[in-house]
Amino acid sequence: MPSSSLSLDDPIRAIDARLATRRMGAKTKGPEAWVVLAESMELHTVGQLLHHYPRRYIDRSMVQSIRDLKIGQQATVIAIVKDVDTRTTRPRPGQRPKTMVTVTFKDPTGVIQLPFFNQPWVARVYRPGMEVALSGIAQMYRGRFQLASPEVEILRGDGDLVHTGRITPIHPAAEGISAKTIRELLWKAFEQLPRQPDPMPRDLIEAETLMPWHDAVHAIHFPVDDRTLASARERLKFDELFTLELGVAFRRQRMTAERKGVAHRADGALTARLRETVPFEPTDAQVRAMDEVGRAMAAAHPMNLLLQGDVGSGKTLVALHACLVAIQSGHQAAIMAPTEVLAGQHARSVAGLLAAVGGVAWLLARPRDPDQSLLFGGPSDGEPGGGPEPAPGLTWALLTGSVTGKERERVLAGIAGGEVDLVVGTHALVQEGVTFSDLSLAVVDEQHRFGLHQRMALKGKGGGDIDVLIMTATPIPRTLALTYYGDLDVAILDEMPTGRRPIETRAVRTEAERRRAEELVRIEAAAGRQAFVVCAAIDEANRTQVKAAEVEAERLRTEVFPELRVELLHGRMKPKDKERVMETFRSGDVDLLISTTVIEVGMDIPNATVMLVENAERFGLAQLHQLRGRIGRGAHRSWCVLFDESDEDNLDARARIDAMVRTTDGFVLADEDLRLRGEGTLFDTRQSGMPDLKLARLAEDLDLVTRARSRAFALLEDDPGLASHPELLDELRRRFERSIDWLFRS
Ligand code: ADP
Ligand code: MG
């Protein structure tokens, strides 16, 4: 047979004409198999089919005998079709008769039945003698075993000679093609495919003791045992991660080589003055982060730095330090927050910390005579001659959607004219009409939104070469920081300012526990402390959810805490009203603030010591962590109480809440979140433009990520343009197809 000429670029039809044109459907035949593969799965070539990996395996040594099935337990059995019985039920008056097909399967120890209602065609799918794998929950019906929610895989049909050994792969299929057809195509492909050369450098594969490529691809489809399968998976995961890291290394190398950035003055009068005047002792972590930021900003290539720190770890100081580096080098800086509330909070912190540095609000500074010494220090520094050295001056402004009219015009003019050194704002900063005179640093506070769009938009405002500092309060899992964020430098605030007492977290599931939690609020309020109650109006745009929060607020106000001063805060309130409610809470005139998740960001109330979260099961882990970060900010002991109304079998909700109870460490929670949700939901790889990972799981493969990363970076160090590895350069181009710009251009 002229069969060993198959190559990876051949169309799937070349594997086997009979298999490739197989059609499914009993009455009306569907399209041919190769058409389904092309149209629903984007599989055209033999090479693409080889990368279509099984979604699971049935290990024949692990399957159960029918006799040993336990009622109520998930099980897999391998059995032969014994007979197929079709009946028509006697119709009820006025109804059409129904058909019921019962397929009986047998193994050497017993029989099991699957009933199919109103699917008459099933009778033609199963033929006596066929071998199938059945998975489902075992049940007993009229003395016979049945399977509930069964999954059936046809392993071998009549005349089908695929011998798959002990472990049978089950490939993802689609409407119009069965897993069995895909398996047979792959089997036949390997029969005809000559041994393929390894696409990876040989010394690298040897140093990492990885399985050769051809063996790995064969073994992932048709493993002989678990150990071989594990080695095959390791090898193919490594390939995915290696290419990803090579792309990351490539981009980093290019950015570092670039000389278009601003070389800032890391040390100067403003930063020195800030360190002298901060009203607290910076933590070691803050000092380290400020040094890192200073170094990165002093370099001649643009900075891209990710500052990770739990809520309350003191990111504002680091951000402000970066801004002062830009300003003392003669440029402007901007801080962009995700919400108006948070922008306001930043502006307040900035105003506080900057007062001693000589910072004044632009809108207050402007009407006065610019020659006056106002720009140089506060009132106490006023004596001419005698007093302390005048503080170096700078101006800052707030720009959000609610800065309007004349004020807005003045702010915009100040930014365009260069008189405003520092702008704090929302996405209003990146809108049309905002022109900077000389922006050299953008600080983007992303909280937990890993948005790449706005960061890029703000970068555009500075002509593309400005330094960027991204702050995130939800730590990014380590694997994510090494891959999808791997082109960024990372600084970590892993130390809390001293004097903080850890927050105690409890899950509450009974009425009695709820009473105790409410009692805790009363006790704390009596001691002069304050509390939050968060209601799960998850969708602030949804009127009914907000309504529910309002009703709950009313109930708490009148029935549960009639003696306390209670206020309500939600996302549909006007900014002015929100600000008013928060101001009264901040000033201590309110004991209990009932709110939706708008308090998630922007609230710094050291006097708040209790947080009750209603329906905590509806919140994501990152969100719960954010919420909890609103308390425990002062010197008092704090409590976070999570009301869990989930069903007992809602294992994900349980896992989230238990993780919250177990730890307050944001990095641990980030990894747990990744594990629970999978990277697909946590991070939009499509938005990032990075290649998808088929086998590698960022939640589990930290070790492989690290290995692949160090090999990729080392290889690129030796061979910067990949001149001696053209096949790797090709692979990069292919895998990064959607984001070739990201890779090769700025
Ligand atoms: P983050 O933005 O990381 O959540 P902030 O910068 O808002 O944290 O700081 C939280 C609070 O802790 C603020 O009130 C801030 O003044 C205070 N703070 C920051 N750093 C320190 C420190 N080193 N020592 C004491 N308090 C600090
Ligand atoms: Mg720089």
Side-chain angles (χ1 to χ4, degrees):
M1 275 204 292
S3 59
S4 68
S5 58
L6 198 67
S7 89
L8 295 183
D9 294 329
D10 282 339
I12 288 173
R13 262 168 307 164
I15 298 173
D16 181 295
R18 185 186 60 86
L19 274 177
T21 54
R22 189 184 269 172
R23 295 155 72 199
M24 267 175 73
K27 248 193 226 139
T28 44
K29 293 276 186 193
E32 298 182 343
W34 71 272
V35 176
V36 179
L37 287 173
E39 287 178 1
S40 341
M41 307 168 94
E42 287 182 48
L43 299 175
H44 305 273
T45 65
V46 174
Q48 287 169 338
L49 186 65
L50 292 195
H51 286 294
H52 184 65
Y53 305 131
R55 92 188 134 82
R56 66 188 181 104
Y57 301 84
I58 294 170
D59 184 342
R60 287 162 190 259
S61 71
M62 301 291 275
V63 302
Q64 280 162 277
S65 301
I66 292 175
R67 190 177 49 206
D68 298 334
L69 291 180
K70 300 225 165 41
I71 306 294
Q73 279 186 5
Q74 175 75 33
T76 297
V77 299
I78 288 184
I80 305 283
V81 178
K82 185 164 169 267
D83 58 55
V84 181
D85 174 56
T86 305
R87 274 165 214 239
T88 310
T89 56
R90 204 177 306 134
R92 295 212 199 139
Q95 288 190 341
R96 292 166 37 137
K98 293 189 169 134
T99 51
M100 182 165 106
V101 179
T102 306
V103 185
T104 307
F105 303 90
K106 65 167 188 212
D107 77 354
T109 69
V111 298
I112 191 165
Q113 293 186 324
L114 288 193
F116 296 90
F117 297 97
N118 268 331
Q119 302 166 62
W121 46 270
V122 165
R124 268 156 293 166
V125 172
Y126 295 98
R127 278 181 297 270
M130 260 180 181
E131 190 185 31
V132 299
L134 308 167
S135 307
I137 295 166
Q139 289 181 338
M140 192 62 90
Y141 181 74
R142 296 194 177 163
R144 287 258 163 123
F145 275 116
Q146 290 196 343
L147 282 184
S149 9
E151 238 192 284
V152 186
E153 307 282 358
I154 297 170
L155 298 177
R156 271 189 272 163
D158 7 42
D160 169 14
L161 295 175
V162 170
H163 289 283
T164 56
R166 174 164 77 72
I167 301 175
T168 302
I170 308 298
H171 290 85
E175 191 172 344
I177 193 166
S178 68
K180 174 169 157 268
T181 299
I182 297 176
R183 180 168 62 243
E184 288 173 16
L185 277 167
L186 276 156
W187 182 264
K188 286 250 157 62
F190 278 112
E191 279 180 348
Q192 305 165 64
L193 199 65
R195 189 171 176 84
Q196 299 296 305
D198 204 306
M200 290 276 245
R202 185 153 150 200
D203 47 350
L204 195 157
I205 292 309
E206 280 170 5
E208 286 286 337
T209 57
L210 293 168
M211 190 185 253
W213 188 84
H214 189 95
D215 300 337
V217 177
H218 184 262
I220 196 151
H221 292 292
F222 301 107
V224 292
D225 55 33
D226 290 342
R227 249 193 50 230
T228 319
L229 177 59
S231 305
R233 288 177 64 85
E234 183 195 29
R235 165 62 208 257
L236 296 172
K237 281 178 177 187
F238 186 89
D239 283 19
E240 287 179 356
L241 294 168
F242 181 82
T243 319
L244 186 69
E245 291 297 347
L246 200 59
V248 170
F250 210 82
R251 182 172 149 90
R252 270 189 78 124
Q253 183 197 54
R254 204 202 55 231
M255 290 197 308
T256 321
E258 213 162 68
R259 293 276 151 197
K260 284 188 301 182
V262 176
H264 289 97
R265 277 184 57 198
D267 298 310
L270 289 176
T271 48
R273 184 83 179 146
L274 179 66
R275 285 219 197 176
E276 280 163 28
T277 57
V278 285
F280 45 75
E281 190 59 37
T283 63
D284 289 347
Q286 282 171 318
V287 172
R288 262 199 313 276
M290 287 190 285
D291 288 348
E292 279 169 48
V293 166
R295 260 199 308 280
M297 289 184 71
H301 60 264
M303 169 177 84
N304 280 290
L305 191 134
L306 178 67
L307 176 64
Q308 301 190 59
D310 244 325
V311 270
S313 59
K315 291 183 294 297
T316 312
L317 175 65
V318 182
L320 193 59
H321 172 85
C323 293
L324 296 187
V325 169
I327 295 165
Q328 73 196 4
S329 309
H331 306 280
Q332 290 169 299
I335 300 178
M336 184 166 78
T339 65
E340 203 148 304
V341 171
L342 191 56
Q345 173 89 33
H346 277 311
R348 252 188 309 281
S349 320
V350 161
L353 289 169
L354 279 186
V357 181
V360 281
W362 167 242
L363 288 176
L364 301 177
R366 186 67 193 279
R368 313 201 183 183
D369 181 353
D371 288 341
Q372 293 241 309
S373 63
L374 179 82
L375 287 177
F376 297 91
S380 60
D381 295 342
E383 308 147 52
E389 239 183 82
L394 68 115
T395 45
W396 62 268
L398 177 67
L399 183 62
T400 63
S402 23
V403 178
T404 53
K406 279 251 153 359
E407 290 195 354
R408 184 178 194 82
E409 274 169 35
R410 275 170 54 201
V411 170
L412 290 181
I415 296 171
E419 294 102 328
V420 172
D421 301 299
L422 169 62
V423 194
V424 181
T426 51
H427 56 275
L429 282 182
V430 294
Q431 277 157 8
E432 300 268 323
V434 185
T435 318
F436 286 85
S437 148
D438 183 11
L439 183 71
S440 76
L441 169 75
V443 177
V444 183
D445 187 349
E446 288 192 339
Q447 293 292 318
H448 60 290
R449 300 150 210 245
F450 308 150
L452 297 164
H453 292 319
Q454 294 193 336
R455 135 155 84 113
M456 290 313 157
L458 191 54
K459 221 173 148 92
K461 291 278 173 189
D465 305 323
I466 62 170
D467 287 0
V468 177
L469 171 68
I470 301 160
M471 298 197 281
T472 169
T474 303
I476 292 170
R478 246 171 75 73
T479 46
L480 217 51
L482 292 173
T483 51
Y484 293 108
Y485 280 81
D487 59 319
L488 307 179
D489 285 317
V490 176
I492 292 176
L493 296 182
D494 52 2
E495 183 187 355
M496 283 294 180
T498 48
R500 299 272 167 80
R501 311 206 18 197
I503 301 165
E504 277 174 47
T505 304
R506 292 181 204 155
V508 161
R509 298 190 172 103
T510 67
E511 210 38 46
E513 290 171 331
R514 178 180 280 272
R515 298 285 153 263
R516 279 207 295 281
E518 287 164 359
E519 194 50 35
L520 178 65
V521 172
R522 288 189 197 98
I523 293 169
E524 285 295 289
R529 306 280 94 79
Q530 290 162 286
F532 294 106
V533 176
V534 177
C535 299
I538 289 168
D539 180 5
E540 291 281 347
N542 182 332
R543 206 177 278 279
T544 52
Q545 287 194 13
V546 171
K547 190 85 201 136
E550 281 168 349
V551 170
E552 174 65 6
E554 201 44 42
R555 193 186 68 84
L556 287 173
R557 194 202 311 262
T558 55
E559 293 171 28
V560 186
F561 301 114
E563 74 282 20
L564 299 185
R565 295 166 299 172
V566 178
E567 281 277 6
L568 173 70
L569 184 71
H570 62 74
R572 287 183 77 99
M573 286 164 66
K574 294 201 191 77
K576 282 233 155 21
D577 295 337
K578 270 193 248 177
E579 193 45 46
R580 182 194 53 79
V581 169
M582 284 201 290
E583 205 41 61
T584 48
F585 191 64
R586 202 175 279 124
S587 63
D589 294 337
V590 168
D591 303 303
L592 180 62
L593 185 66
I594 299 165
S595 82
T596 58
T597 51
V598 285
I599 57 139
E600 196 185 327
V601 290
M603 274 264 176
D604 184 16
I605 316 274
N607 193 45
T609 55
V610 184
M611 166 155 301
L612 310 185
V613 182
E614 296 280 357
N615 295 106
E617 76 279 0
R618 295 198 210 160
F619 292 95
L621 201 43
Q623 212 174 10
L624 288 174
H625 183 57
Q626 287 272 335
L627 287 170
R628 181 168 59 183
R630 297 300 126 202
I631 55 169
R633 298 188 139 226
H636 310 290
R637 201 169 152 198
S638 297
W639 294 268
C640 174
V641 183
L642 305 173
F643 295 126
D644 176 10
E645 312 218 333
S646 65
D647 295 331
E648 233 159 88
D649 56 359
N650 188 344
L651 297 180
D652 275 1
R654 290 275 150 144
R656 285 196 298 273
I657 290 171
D658 290 349
M660 286 291 294
V661 171
R662 206 166 55 235
T663 181
T664 54
D665 185 327
F667 288 92
V668 174
L669 290 172
D671 286 341
E672 179 75 9
D673 200 26
L674 182 59
R675 199 182 63 72
L676 284 173
R677 301 208 292 166
E679 51 260 42
T681 48
L682 185 66
F683 186 83
D684 188 353
T685 52
R686 290 199 175 266
Q687 191 195 325
S688 83
M690 302 263 246
D692 293 332
L693 299 171
K694 284 186 169 166
L695 285 175
R697 291 285 162 265
L698 294 182
E700 295 149 19
D701 292 323
L702 176 61
D703 174 55
L704 267 182
V705 169
T706 327
R707 278 162 59 191
R709 184 177 174 87
S710 68
R711 293 287 174 192
F713 276 67
L715 185 120
L716 209 63
E717 181 107 328
D718 282 352
D719 181 13
L722 291 180
S724 16
H725 297 92
E727 69 295 340
L728 287 179
L729 194 59
D730 281 351
E731 177 70 2
L732 266 189
R733 286 219 161 81
R734 206 176 56 71
R735 293 272 317 277
F736 280 84
E737 195 186 3
R738 273 185 288 127
S739 52
I740 210 80
D741 274 3
W742 183 88
L743 201 58
F744 293 102
R745 277 179 280 273
S746 252

